[in-house]
Amino acid sequence: MTSRHRSATAVTALTCGAALLGVVACTGLAAASGSGGEGDLAGESAQQISDDALHELVTAQSLRLRTENTADPTKLDLTLDRAGNCAGTISRGTLGRIDLVKRGDQVWMKPDAAFWKSQLPGSRGTAAADTFKGRYLHGTTDDPFLQQLSRACDLAGFQRQAAVPEHPPAPGATPAPALAKGAPTVQDGTRVLPLTRKNDGATQTLYVAIDGPHYPRKLTAASDHETGTILLSDFGRPVPVKIPAPGVTLDISALNEQMQGT
């Protein structure tokens, strides 16, 4: 396996946390009774509320997502839109972090020293960290490495995935347990209503904004002592348009040269 392929594989691992979004958002939900303090959600069933929240999600023009799970150090913090633009970070704990900017088919990535040292052994990792310190690598999605990295920016693709309904239970199978409303709480300063379903030892909870548009604000999935969390915010807020200055940018070909020279 080439050094560059190893780096691309690492990027895939960094971005795989986004898959949890579709897993949680696509869950089929049943109706349940309401409780007080729910605003105009008080008269709606859990199913109606989840349907409304999913509609807000799949029609959003832009949003910020943050993900983490206890089974893997991968964390995403990205603002992205339906045009494929994004800005933010992809990190994997001690294995490194990448700052990412994408505008159209143009991509800028800035891995930190820990990333290079975790992907290239010994002096090779140190040399790459020194060469690219404080620098963005720039290219287009025609480059396989950058194309793979920028898959995390595909809001439209995620929305298509989230909108696919769950397969109905097979004939004779036990229906999914009902989704239950919980007590209103607060998530990042926003009042939210939790909707929870427990099934086969797994617990899934969707937190829906009570006031204003009923956006999904938080999703959690817990099973076998592992937990995945997604935070959604900044719906409709444009992706930051600032791109790295030429003085701190190198062409992606510099990565090829670095790999060939080691």
Side-chain angles (χ1 to χ4, degrees):
M1 181 182 292
T2 66
S3 298
R4 193 172 186 205
H5 182 67
R6 266 197 302 272
S7 294
T9 301
V11 168
T12 301
L14 286 169
T15 59
C16 69
L20 177 62
L21 291 166
V23 172
V24 178
C26 292
T27 301
L29 303 174
S33 59
S35 61
E38 301 170 3
D40 63 0
L41 297 181
E44 296 189 12
S45 69
Q47 179 65 62
Q48 291 171 321
I49 295 169
S50 68
D51 287 348
D52 290 345
L54 180 59
H55 175 75
E56 295 290 352
L57 175 62
V58 301
T59 59
Q61 295 301 304
S62 61
L63 54 80
R64 178 188 181 191
L65 71 86
R66 290 169 284 168
T67 74
E68 62 179 88
N69 75 83
T70 57
D72 188 287
T74 300
K75 293 183 180 181
L76 304 181
D77 186 350
L78 296 170
T79 300
L80 56 163
D81 66 22
R82 289 178 61 85
N85 303 311
C86 79
T89 61
I90 303 170
S91 64
R92 203 159 188 251
T94 59
L95 299 180
R97 159 180 163 152
I98 294 175
D99 292 346
L100 176 65
V101 177
K102 180 176 180 288
R103 302 296 299 180
D105 65 350
Q106 303 293 311
V107 184
W108 294 259
M109 57 168 280
K110 184 174 71 172
D112 65 5
F115 175 86
W116 295 118
K117 292 177 181 179
S118 70
Q119 301 310 309
L120 299 173
S123 60
R124 297 170 66 189
T126 300
D130 290 342
T131 298
F132 301 124
K133 181 179 180 180
R135 298 293 188 101
Y136 284 85
L137 292 169
H138 169 248
T140 73
T141 51
D142 290 335
D143 180 89
F145 186 84
L146 296 180
Q147 182 183 67
Q148 193 170 42
L149 176 64
S150 62
R151 288 176 182 171
C153 299
D154 188 8
L155 175 59
F158 159 61
Q159 291 171 321
R160 288 192 297 271
Q161 182 184 27
V164 175
E166 187 181 38
H167 294 297
T174 302
L179 183 75
K181 289 183 178 181
T185 185
V186 176
Q187 169 63 38
D188 288 344
T190 297
R191 291 202 314 135
V192 293
L193 181 67
L195 309 172
T196 299
R197 186 177 76 167
K198 298 181 179 181
N199 189 25
D200 291 335
T203 300
Q204 298 172 332
T205 305
L206 169 67
Y207 297 80
V208 179
I210 293 174
D211 305 308
H214 300 308
Y215 294 124
R217 295 300 305 269
K218 180 179 179 180
L219 304 100
T220 63
S223 180
D224 296 330
H225 308 293
E226 301 292 352
T227 302
T229 301
I230 300 164
L231 301 177
L232 300 169
S233 60
D234 297 345
F235 286 84
R237 182 172 297 179
V239 174
V241 297
K242 185 177 181 180
I243 61 175
V248 295
T249 301
L250 294 173
D251 190 84
I252 192 65
S253 60
L255 178 58
N256 288 328
E257 295 169 2
Q258 180 74 19
M259 296 300 100
Q260 293 170 0
T262 55

Short mmCIF file of all heavy atoms in Angstrom, two decimals, residues 125-191:
data_model
loop_
_atom_site.label_atom_id
_atom_site.label_comp_id
_atom_site.label_asym_id
_atom_site.label_seq_id
_atom_site.Cartn_x
_atom_site.Cartn_y
_atom_site.Cartn_z
N GLY A 125 6.99 10.92 8.74
CA GLY A 125 5.90 11.70 9.31
C GLY A 125 6.38 13.05 9.81
O GLY A 125 5.71 14.07 9.62
N THR A 126 7.54 13.06 10.45
CA THR A 126 8.11 14.32 10.95
C THR A 126 8.41 15.27 9.80
O THR A 126 8.14 16.48 9.87
CB THR A 126 9.38 14.05 11.75
OG1 THR A 126 9.08 13.19 12.86
CG2 THR A 126 9.98 15.35 12.28
N ALA A 127 8.97 14.71 8.70
CA ALA A 127 9.30 15.54 7.54
C ALA A 127 8.04 16.13 6.92
O ALA A 127 8.00 17.32 6.55
CB ALA A 127 10.06 14.72 6.50
N ALA A 128 6.99 15.33 6.80
CA ALA A 128 5.75 15.83 6.22
C ALA A 128 5.13 16.89 7.12
O ALA A 128 4.63 17.91 6.64
CB ALA A 128 4.76 14.68 6.01
N ALA A 129 5.17 16.67 8.43
CA ALA A 129 4.63 17.66 9.37
C ALA A 129 5.37 18.98 9.25
O ALA A 129 4.76 20.05 9.30
CB ALA A 129 4.71 17.12 10.80
N ASP A 130 6.71 18.92 9.07
CA ASP A 130 7.50 20.14 8.93
C ASP A 130 7.22 20.83 7.60
O ASP A 130 7.07 22.05 7.54
CB ASP A 130 8.99 19.81 9.04
CG ASP A 130 9.41 19.40 10.45
OD1 ASP A 130 8.64 19.70 11.39
OD2 ASP A 130 10.47 18.78 10.59
N THR A 131 7.13 20.03 6.53
CA THR A 131 6.92 20.60 5.20
C THR A 131 5.59 21.33 5.10
O THR A 131 5.49 22.41 4.51
CB THR A 131 6.97 19.49 4.13
OG1 THR A 131 8.27 18.89 4.15
CG2 THR A 131 6.68 20.05 2.74
N PHE A 132 4.55 20.74 5.68
CA PHE A 132 3.20 21.27 5.52
C PHE A 132 2.69 22.03 6.74
O PHE A 132 1.51 22.35 6.83
CB PHE A 132 2.23 20.13 5.19
CG PHE A 132 2.60 19.38 3.93
CD1 PHE A 132 2.79 18.01 3.96
CD2 PHE A 132 2.76 20.05 2.74
CE1 PHE A 132 3.13 17.31 2.80
CE2 PHE A 132 3.11 19.38 1.57
CZ PHE A 132 3.30 18.00 1.60
N LYS A 133 3.57 22.34 7.68
CA LYS A 133 3.17 23.03 8.90
C LYS A 133 2.49 24.37 8.56
O LYS A 133 3.04 25.21 7.86
CB LYS A 133 4.39 23.28 9.79
CG LYS A 133 4.04 23.99 11.09
CD LYS A 133 5.29 24.19 11.95
CE LYS A 133 4.94 24.88 13.26
NZ LYS A 133 6.16 25.08 14.09
N GLY A 134 1.26 24.55 9.05
CA GLY A 134 0.55 25.80 8.84
C GLY A 134 0.08 26.02 7.42
O GLY A 134 -0.42 27.10 7.09
N ARG A 135 0.22 25.02 6.55
CA ARG A 135 -0.13 25.17 5.14
C ARG A 135 -1.36 24.35 4.77
O ARG A 135 -1.57 23.25 5.27
CB ARG A 135 1.03 24.71 4.25
CG ARG A 135 2.31 25.49 4.41
CD ARG A 135 2.16 26.92 3.92
NE ARG A 135 3.42 27.63 3.89
CZ ARG A 135 4.13 27.82 2.78
NH1 ARG A 135 3.70 27.34 1.62
NH2 ARG A 135 5.26 28.49 2.82
N TYR A 136 -2.16 24.90 3.89
CA TYR A 136 -3.26 24.17 3.28
C TYR A 136 -2.77 23.55 1.98
O TYR A 136 -1.99 24.16 1.24
CB TYR A 136 -4.43 25.10 2.95
CG TYR A 136 -5.26 25.50 4.14
CD1 TYR A 136 -4.88 26.59 4.93
CD2 TYR A 136 -6.43 24.83 4.45
CE1 TYR A 136 -5.66 26.98 6.01
CE2 TYR A 136 -7.22 25.22 5.53
CZ TYR A 136 -6.82 26.29 6.31
OH TYR A 136 -7.58 26.67 7.38
N LEU A 137 -3.25 22.36 1.69
CA LEU A 137 -3.05 21.74 0.38
C LEU A 137 -4.31 21.99 -0.42
O LEU A 137 -5.43 21.74 0.06
CB LEU A 137 -2.79 20.24 0.55
CG LEU A 137 -1.45 19.89 1.21
CD1 LEU A 137 -1.41 18.41 1.55
CD2 LEU A 137 -0.29 20.27 0.31
N HIS A 138 -4.13 22.47 -1.64
CA HIS A 138 -5.28 22.90 -2.46
C HIS A 138 -5.32 22.15 -3.77
O HIS A 138 -4.31 21.89 -4.41
CB HIS A 138 -5.20 24.40 -2.74
CG HIS A 138 -6.17 24.87 -3.78
ND1 HIS A 138 -5.77 25.32 -5.02
CD2 HIS A 138 -7.53 24.93 -3.77
CE1 HIS A 138 -6.85 25.65 -5.73
NE2 HIS A 138 -7.92 25.41 -4.99
N GLY A 139 -6.54 21.77 -4.16
CA GLY A 139 -6.75 21.14 -5.45
C GLY A 139 -8.23 21.08 -5.73
O GLY A 139 -9.02 21.81 -5.12
N THR A 140 -8.62 20.21 -6.63
CA THR A 140 -10.03 20.08 -6.97
C THR A 140 -10.51 18.66 -6.65
O THR A 140 -9.71 17.78 -6.32
CB THR A 140 -10.29 20.36 -8.46
OG1 THR A 140 -9.79 19.25 -9.24
CG2 THR A 140 -9.62 21.65 -8.90
N THR A 141 -11.80 18.46 -6.78
CA THR A 141 -12.37 17.14 -6.53
C THR A 141 -11.99 16.14 -7.61
O THR A 141 -12.35 14.96 -7.51
CB THR A 141 -13.90 17.23 -6.41
OG1 THR A 141 -14.43 17.93 -7.55
CG2 THR A 141 -14.31 17.96 -5.14
N ASP A 142 -11.27 16.57 -8.65
CA ASP A 142 -10.72 15.63 -9.61
C ASP A 142 -9.59 14.80 -8.99
O ASP A 142 -9.27 13.71 -9.48
CB ASP A 142 -10.18 16.35 -10.84
CG ASP A 142 -11.29 16.94 -11.70
OD1 ASP A 142 -12.42 16.42 -11.63
OD2 ASP A 142 -11.03 17.92 -12.41
N ASP A 143 -8.99 15.33 -7.93
CA ASP A 143 -7.95 14.61 -7.22
C ASP A 143 -8.60 13.56 -6.32
O ASP A 143 -9.45 13.90 -5.49
CB ASP A 143 -7.12 15.57 -6.36
CG ASP A 143 -6.02 14.86 -5.62
OD1 ASP A 143 -4.92 14.72 -6.18
OD2 ASP A 143 -6.27 14.43 -4.46
N PRO A 144 -8.25 12.27 -6.45
CA PRO A 144 -8.91 11.22 -5.67
C PRO A 144 -8.82 11.43 -4.17
O PRO A 144 -9.78 11.17 -3.44
CB PRO A 144 -8.17 9.94 -6.10
CG PRO A 144 -7.63 10.26 -7.45
CD PRO A 144 -7.28 11.72 -7.41
N PHE A 145 -7.69 11.91 -3.69
CA PHE A 145 -7.50 12.15 -2.26
C PHE A 145 -8.48 13.21 -1.77
O PHE A 145 -9.19 13.01 -0.78
CB PHE A 145 -6.06 12.59 -2.02
CG PHE A 145 -5.69 12.74 -0.57
CD1 PHE A 145 -5.30 11.63 0.16
CD2 PHE A 145 -5.71 13.98 0.04
CE1 PHE A 145 -4.94 11.77 1.50
CE2 PHE A 145 -5.36 14.12 1.37
CZ PHE A 145 -4.97 13.02 2.10
N LEU A 146 -8.56 14.34 -2.46
CA LEU A 146 -9.45 15.41 -2.05
C LEU A 146 -10.91 15.04 -2.29
O LEU A 146 -11.80 15.46 -1.53
CB LEU A 146 -9.10 16.70 -2.79
CG LEU A 146 -7.71 17.28 -2.47
CD1 LEU A 146 -7.48 18.56 -3.28
CD2 LEU A 146 -7.57 17.56 -0.98
N GLN A 147 -11.17 14.28 -3.33
CA GLN A 147 -12.54 13.84 -3.58
C GLN A 147 -13.05 12.98 -2.43
O GLN A 147 -14.19 13.14 -1.96
CB GLN A 147 -12.59 13.03 -4.88
CG GLN A 147 -14.00 12.56 -5.24
CD GLN A 147 -13.99 11.71 -6.51
OE1 GLN A 147 -13.43 10.61 -6.51
NE2 GLN A 147 -14.57 12.22 -7.57
N GLN A 148 -12.21 12.08 -1.95
CA GLN A 148 -12.60 11.21 -0.84
C GLN A 148 -12.84 12.04 0.43
O GLN A 148 -13.83 11.82 1.14
CB GLN A 148 -11.50 10.18 -0.61
CG GLN A 148 -11.90 9.04 0.30
CD GLN A 148 -10.84 7.94 0.28
OE1 GLN A 148 -9.65 8.22 0.30
NE2 GLN A 148 -11.28 6.70 0.26
N LEU A 149 -11.96 12.97 0.69
CA LEU A 149 -12.10 13.81 1.87
C LEU A 149 -13.38 14.63 1.82
O LEU A 149 -14.10 14.76 2.82
CB LEU A 149 -10.89 14.74 1.97
CG LEU A 149 -10.90 15.77 3.10
CD1 LEU A 149 -10.89 15.06 4.45
CD2 LEU A 149 -9.70 16.71 2.98
N SER A 150 -13.69 15.19 0.65
CA SER A 150 -14.81 16.11 0.56
C SER A 150 -16.17 15.43 0.56
O SER A 150 -17.21 16.10 0.53
CB SER A 150 -14.67 16.98 -0.70
OG SER A 150 -14.69 16.19 -1.87
N ARG A 151 -16.21 14.10 0.62
CA ARG A 151 -17.50 13.41 0.73
C ARG A 151 -18.23 13.82 2.00
O ARG A 151 -19.46 13.74 2.07
CB ARG A 151 -17.29 11.89 0.72
CG ARG A 151 -16.90 11.35 -0.65
CD ARG A 151 -16.60 9.87 -0.59
NE ARG A 151 -16.18 9.36 -1.90
CZ ARG A 151 -15.70 8.14 -2.10
NH1 ARG A 151 -15.58 7.30 -1.09
NH2 ARG A 151 -15.35 7.76 -3.31
N ALA A 152 -17.51 14.24 3.02
CA ALA A 152 -18.14 14.69 4.25
C ALA A 152 -18.96 15.96 4.04
O ALA A 152 -19.77 16.32 4.88
CB ALA A 152 -17.08 14.92 5.32
N CYS A 153 -18.76 16.64 2.91
CA CYS A 153 -19.46 17.90 2.63
C CYS A 153 -20.77 17.72 1.88
O CYS A 153 -21.41 18.70 1.52
CB CYS A 153 -18.54 18.82 1.81
SG CYS A 153 -17.00 19.26 2.63
N ASP A 154 -21.18 16.49 1.65
CA ASP A 154 -22.32 16.22 0.79
C ASP A 154 -23.64 16.27 1.57
O ASP A 154 -24.22 15.24 1.90
CB ASP A 154 -22.15 14.85 0.12
CG ASP A 154 -23.21 14.58 -0.95
OD1 ASP A 154 -23.98 15.50 -1.26
OD2 ASP A 154 -23.24 13.45 -1.46
N LEU A 155 -24.12 17.48 1.85
CA LEU A 155 -25.38 17.63 2.56
C LEU A 155 -26.54 17.06 1.76
O LEU A 155 -27.41 16.36 2.30
CB LEU A 155 -25.65 19.10 2.88
CG LEU A 155 -27.00 19.41 3.53
CD1 LEU A 155 -27.18 18.67 4.84
CD2 LEU A 155 -27.18 20.92 3.71
N ALA A 156 -26.57 17.31 0.46
CA ALA A 156 -27.67 16.82 -0.36
C ALA A 156 -27.72 15.29 -0.34
O ALA A 156 -28.80 14.69 -0.28
CB ALA A 156 -27.54 17.32 -1.80
N GLY A 157 -26.57 14.65 -0.37
CA GLY A 157 -26.53 13.20 -0.31
C GLY A 157 -27.03 12.67 1.01
O GLY A 157 -27.78 11.67 1.05
N PHE A 158 -26.63 13.32 2.09
CA PHE A 158 -27.13 12.92 3.40
C PHE A 158 -28.65 13.08 3.48
O PHE A 158 -29.36 12.22 4.01
CB PHE A 158 -26.46 13.74 4.50
CG PHE A 158 -27.23 13.78 5.78
CD1 PHE A 158 -27.50 12.60 6.46
CD2 PHE A 158 -27.72 14.96 6.27
CE1 PHE A 158 -28.23 12.62 7.64
CE2 PHE A 158 -28.45 15.00 7.44
CZ PHE A 158 -28.70 13.82 8.12
N GLN A 159 -29.15 14.17 2.94
CA GLN A 159 -30.60 14.39 2.98
C GLN A 159 -31.35 13.33 2.19
O GLN A 159 -32.41 12.87 2.62
CB GLN A 159 -30.93 15.80 2.47
CG GLN A 159 -30.46 16.90 3.42
CD GLN A 159 -30.59 18.28 2.81
OE1 GLN A 159 -30.34 18.48 1.63
NE2 GLN A 159 -30.99 19.25 3.62
N ARG A 160 -30.79 12.93 1.06
CA ARG A 160 -31.43 11.85 0.30
C ARG A 160 -31.45 10.55 1.10
O ARG A 160 -32.44 9.81 1.11
CB ARG A 160 -30.70 11.64 -1.03
CG ARG A 160 -30.92 12.75 -2.05
CD ARG A 160 -30.41 12.34 -3.42
NE ARG A 160 -28.97 12.12 -3.44
CZ ARG A 160 -28.08 13.07 -3.68
NH1 ARG A 160 -28.48 14.31 -3.94
NH2 ARG A 160 -26.79 12.78 -3.71
N GLN A 161 -30.36 10.29 1.79
CA GLN A 161 -30.28 9.09 2.60
C GLN A 161 -31.28 9.14 3.76
O GLN A 161 -31.96 8.15 4.05
CB GLN A 161 -28.86 8.91 3.15
CG GLN A 161 -28.66 7.64 3.97
CD GLN A 161 -27.27 7.56 4.57
OE1 GLN A 161 -26.63 8.59 4.82
NE2 GLN A 161 -26.79 6.35 4.81
N ALA A 162 -31.37 10.28 4.41
CA ALA A 162 -32.27 10.43 5.55
C ALA A 162 -33.72 10.31 5.15
O ALA A 162 -34.57 9.89 5.94
CB ALA A 162 -32.02 11.77 6.24
N ALA A 163 -34.04 10.68 3.91
CA ALA A 163 -35.43 10.68 3.46
C ALA A 163 -35.93 9.30 3.05
O ALA A 163 -37.13 9.10 2.88
CB ALA A 163 -35.60 11.64 2.28
N VAL A 164 -35.03 8.33 2.91
CA VAL A 164 -35.44 6.98 2.52
C VAL A 164 -36.15 6.32 3.69
O VAL A 164 -35.59 6.22 4.78
CB VAL A 164 -34.22 6.13 2.10
CG1 VAL A 164 -34.66 4.69 1.82
CG2 VAL A 164 -33.56 6.75 0.89
N PRO A 165 -37.39 5.89 3.52
CA PRO A 165 -38.11 5.30 4.65
C PRO A 165 -37.53 3.96 5.05
O PRO A 165 -36.93 3.25 4.25
CB PRO A 165 -39.54 5.12 4.09
CG PRO A 165 -39.35 5.02 2.62
CD PRO A 165 -38.19 5.92 2.29
N GLU A 166 -37.69 3.65 6.34
CA GLU A 166 -37.23 2.37 6.85
C GLU A 166 -38.08 1.25 6.25
O GLU A 166 -39.27 1.41 6.01
CB GLU A 166 -37.34 2.36 8.37
CG GLU A 166 -36.73 1.13 9.03
CD GLU A 166 -36.89 1.18 10.54
OE1 GLU A 166 -37.94 1.65 11.01
OE2 GLU A 166 -35.96 0.75 11.23
N HIS A 167 -37.44 0.11 5.99
CA HIS A 167 -38.19 -1.03 5.46
C HIS A 167 -39.26 -1.46 6.46
O HIS A 167 -38.98 -1.55 7.67
CB HIS A 167 -37.26 -2.20 5.17
CG HIS A 167 -36.28 -1.93 4.07
ND1 HIS A 167 -36.69 -1.67 2.78
CD2 HIS A 167 -34.93 -1.86 4.07
CE1 HIS A 167 -35.61 -1.47 2.03
NE2 HIS A 167 -34.55 -1.57 2.79
N PRO A 168 -40.47 -1.76 6.03
CA PRO A 168 -41.51 -2.21 6.95
C PRO A 168 -41.14 -3.58 7.52
O PRO A 168 -40.39 -4.34 6.90
CB PRO A 168 -42.75 -2.30 6.06
CG PRO A 168 -42.22 -2.48 4.68
CD PRO A 168 -40.93 -1.70 4.64
N PRO A 169 -41.65 -3.91 8.72
CA PRO A 169 -41.34 -5.21 9.30
C PRO A 169 -41.88 -6.34 8.45
O PRO A 169 -42.89 -6.21 7.77
CB PRO A 169 -42.03 -5.15 10.68
CG PRO A 169 -43.10 -4.11 10.52
CD PRO A 169 -42.55 -3.11 9.57
N ALA A 170 -41.18 -7.46 8.47
CA ALA A 170 -41.61 -8.63 7.72
C ALA A 170 -42.92 -9.15 8.28
O ALA A 170 -43.23 -8.94 9.46
CB ALA A 170 -40.53 -9.70 7.78
N PRO A 171 -43.72 -9.84 7.46
CA PRO A 171 -44.98 -10.41 7.95
C PRO A 171 -44.75 -11.29 9.17
O PRO A 171 -43.85 -12.14 9.18
CB PRO A 171 -45.48 -11.23 6.75
CG PRO A 171 -44.86 -10.56 5.57
CD PRO A 171 -43.51 -10.10 6.03
N GLY A 172 -45.54 -11.03 10.22
CA GLY A 172 -45.42 -11.80 11.44
C GLY A 172 -44.38 -11.28 12.41
O GLY A 172 -44.30 -11.74 13.55
N ALA A 173 -43.55 -10.31 11.97
CA ALA A 173 -42.53 -9.76 12.86
C ALA A 173 -43.16 -8.82 13.87
O ALA A 173 -44.21 -8.23 13.64
CB ALA A 173 -41.48 -9.02 12.04
N THR A 174 -42.50 -8.67 15.01
CA THR A 174 -42.98 -7.77 16.05
C THR A 174 -42.80 -6.32 15.62
O THR A 174 -41.69 -5.95 15.21
CB THR A 174 -42.22 -8.01 17.36
OG1 THR A 174 -42.37 -9.38 17.74
CG2 THR A 174 -42.75 -7.11 18.47
N PRO A 175 -43.85 -5.49 15.68
CA PRO A 175 -43.71 -4.08 15.29
C PRO A 175 -42.68 -3.37 16.18
O PRO A 175 -42.44 -3.78 17.32
CB PRO A 175 -45.11 -3.52 15.51
CG PRO A 175 -46.02 -4.70 15.51
CD PRO A 175 -45.21 -5.84 16.09
N ALA A 176 -42.10 -2.32 15.64
CA ALA A 176 -41.15 -1.53 16.42
C ALA A 176 -41.84 -0.92 17.63
O ALA A 176 -43.01 -0.52 17.55
CB ALA A 176 -40.56 -0.43 15.56
N PRO A 177 -41.14 -0.85 18.78
CA PRO A 177 -41.75 -0.24 19.96
C PRO A 177 -42.14 1.21 19.69
O PRO A 177 -41.56 1.89 18.84
CB PRO A 177 -40.62 -0.31 21.00
CG PRO A 177 -39.74 -1.41 20.52
CD PRO A 177 -39.79 -1.35 19.02
N ALA A 178 -43.13 1.68 20.42
CA ALA A 178 -43.61 3.05 20.25
C ALA A 178 -42.55 4.06 20.65
O ALA A 178 -41.74 3.81 21.55
CB ALA A 178 -44.88 3.26 21.06
N LEU A 179 -42.57 5.17 20.00
CA LEU A 179 -41.72 6.30 20.35
C LEU A 179 -42.42 7.10 21.43
O LEU A 179 -43.61 7.40 21.32
CB LEU A 179 -41.50 7.18 19.12
CG LEU A 179 -40.56 8.37 19.29
CD1 LEU A 179 -39.13 7.89 19.32
CD2 LEU A 179 -40.77 9.34 18.15
N ALA A 180 -41.72 7.45 22.50
CA ALA A 180 -42.32 8.13 23.63
C ALA A 180 -41.78 9.55 23.78
O ALA A 180 -40.58 9.79 23.63
CB ALA A 180 -42.06 7.35 24.92
N LYS A 181 -42.68 10.47 24.05
CA LYS A 181 -42.27 11.83 24.37
C LYS A 181 -41.67 11.86 25.78
O LYS A 181 -42.16 11.21 26.70
CB LYS A 181 -43.47 12.77 24.35
CG LYS A 181 -44.04 13.08 22.99
CD LYS A 181 -45.17 14.09 23.12
CE LYS A 181 -45.76 14.50 21.79
NZ LYS A 181 -46.83 15.50 21.95
N GLY A 182 -40.60 12.66 25.92
CA GLY A 182 -40.01 12.88 27.22
C GLY A 182 -40.34 14.28 27.72
O GLY A 182 -41.13 15.01 27.11
N ALA A 183 -39.72 14.67 28.82
CA ALA A 183 -39.93 16.01 29.37
C ALA A 183 -39.12 17.03 28.59
O ALA A 183 -37.95 16.77 28.25
CB ALA A 183 -39.53 16.04 30.83
N PRO A 184 -39.68 18.20 28.28
CA PRO A 184 -38.92 19.24 27.59
C PRO A 184 -37.63 19.56 28.33
O PRO A 184 -37.58 19.56 29.57
CB PRO A 184 -39.88 20.43 27.58
CG PRO A 184 -41.24 19.80 27.63
CD PRO A 184 -41.08 18.61 28.53
N THR A 185 -36.58 19.84 27.57
CA THR A 185 -35.30 20.17 28.16
C THR A 185 -34.64 21.23 27.28
O THR A 185 -35.29 21.82 26.40
CB THR A 185 -34.41 18.91 28.29
OG1 THR A 185 -33.20 19.24 28.97
CG2 THR A 185 -34.10 18.31 26.93
N VAL A 186 -33.38 21.54 27.51
CA VAL A 186 -32.68 22.59 26.78
C VAL A 186 -31.43 22.01 26.15
O VAL A 186 -30.66 21.30 26.80
CB VAL A 186 -32.32 23.78 27.70
CG1 VAL A 186 -31.51 24.82 26.94
CG2 VAL A 186 -33.59 24.41 28.29
N GLN A 187 -31.22 22.31 24.86
CA GLN A 187 -30.02 21.88 24.14
C GLN A 187 -29.38 23.10 23.51
O GLN A 187 -29.95 23.74 22.63
CB GLN A 187 -30.39 20.87 23.05
CG GLN A 187 -29.29 20.56 22.06
CD GLN A 187 -28.08 19.92 22.71
OE1 GLN A 187 -28.24 19.10 23.61
NE2 GLN A 187 -26.90 20.29 22.28
N ASP A 188 -28.17 23.46 23.98
CA ASP A 188 -27.45 24.63 23.45
C ASP A 188 -28.33 25.88 23.45
O ASP A 188 -28.35 26.64 22.47
CB ASP A 188 -26.93 24.36 22.04
CG ASP A 188 -25.76 23.39 22.03
OD1 ASP A 188 -25.16 23.16 23.09
OD2 ASP A 188 -25.42 22.87 20.94
N GLY A 189 -29.08 26.09 24.53
CA GLY A 189 -29.90 27.28 24.67
C GLY A 189 -31.25 27.21 23.99
O GLY A 189 -32.01 28.17 24.03
N THR A 190 -31.57 26.10 23.34
CA THR A 190 -32.84 25.93 22.64
C THR A 190 -33.71 24.92 23.37
O THR A 190 -33.24 23.82 23.72
CB THR A 190 -32.60 25.43 21.20
OG1 THR A 190 -31.86 26.42 20.48
CG2 THR A 190 -33.92 25.18 20.48
N ARG A 191 -34.96 25.27 23.62
CA ARG A 191 -35.88 24.31 24.24
C ARG A 191 -36.19 23.20 23.24
O ARG A 191 -36.53 23.47 22.09
CB ARG A 191 -37.19 25.00 24.66
CG ARG A 191 -37.04 25.96 25.82
CD ARG A 191 -38.36 26.18 26.55
NE ARG A 191 -39.47 26.43 25.63
CZ ARG A 191 -40.66 25.84 25.76
NH1 ARG A 191 -40.91 24.98 26.73
NH2 ARG A 191 -41.63 26.12 24.88
#
